[in-house]
Amino acid sequence: QVQLVESGGDLVQPGGSLRLSCTVSGPSGFSLEFYTIGWFRQAPGKEREGVSCIRSWLASTYYADSVKGRFTISRDNAKKTVYLQMNSLKPEETGVYYCAGVKTLRTTWNDLAIYDTWGQGTQVTVSS
């Protein structure tokens, strides 16, 4: 019953910024505090890869090496929304960005197999 909806994808120039949102809904009593959310992206012809993750409760964060220092993941529990702020975007980061959720982080944050709920994706295009 948990559903995730991404938004915020757009066409931006290299070096530009974008903020993606992932709004999470669930059954009665659902709280984002107890849910782990990851961001993934898939470029054309390439495998889906982990970008960032924010864990439940204490909100520990993780980032792919390629985006450290440029991307920031955060959450607003009251709004049931997770954000991904992306700065200094590069053309090779063009792709469909997905958010995914799981109640319990069983292995590593960028292991796609542990996430049981995915959003529909939002297109990010970095081009001149």
Side-chain angles (χ1 to χ4, degrees):
Q1 286 187 279
V2 176
Q3 294 183 317
L4 289 70
V5 179
E6 305 96 332
S7 62
D10 204 352
L11 170 65
V12 297
Q13 294 186 350
S17 298
L18 208 58
R19 189 178 77 160
L20 305 182
S21 298
C22 175
T23 299
V24 185
S25 62
S28 179
F30 174 83
S31 296
L32 187 58
E33 290 95 327
F34 303 112
Y35 216 67
T36 292
I37 300 293
W39 281 100
F40 298 80
R41 68 187 174 198
Q42 188 165 20
K46 298 185 67 177
E47 297 293 320
R48 192 171 301 184
E49 63 179 353
V51 177
S52 186
C53 173
I54 185 164
R55 292 188 66 173
S56 61
W57 197 240
L58 293 180
S60 300
T61 58
Y62 307 89
Y63 299 92
D65 289 341
S66 62
V67 308
K68 288 180 179 177
R70 297 186 296 115
F71 289 15
T72 302
I73 190 170
S74 62
R75 73 184 186 199
D76 185 328
N77 292 329
K79 296 181 179 179
K80 293 185 172 64
T81 301
V82 174
Y83 304 97
L84 183 67
Q85 177 66 46
M86 306 185 295
N87 298 326
S88 302
L89 283 161
K90 305 173 181 179
E92 58 264 36
E93 293 174 319
T94 290
V96 179
Y97 284 66
Y98 301 87
C99 62
V102 65
K103 188 172 183 179
T104 303
L105 186 61
R106 301 180 185 277
T107 57
T108 56
W109 69 270
N110 57 353
D111 182 357
L112 278 67
I114 64 100
Y115 294 90
D116 52 29
T117 308
W118 292 78
Q120 83 289 346
T122 185
Q123 177 69 45
V124 173
T125 303
V126 186
S127 176
S128 298

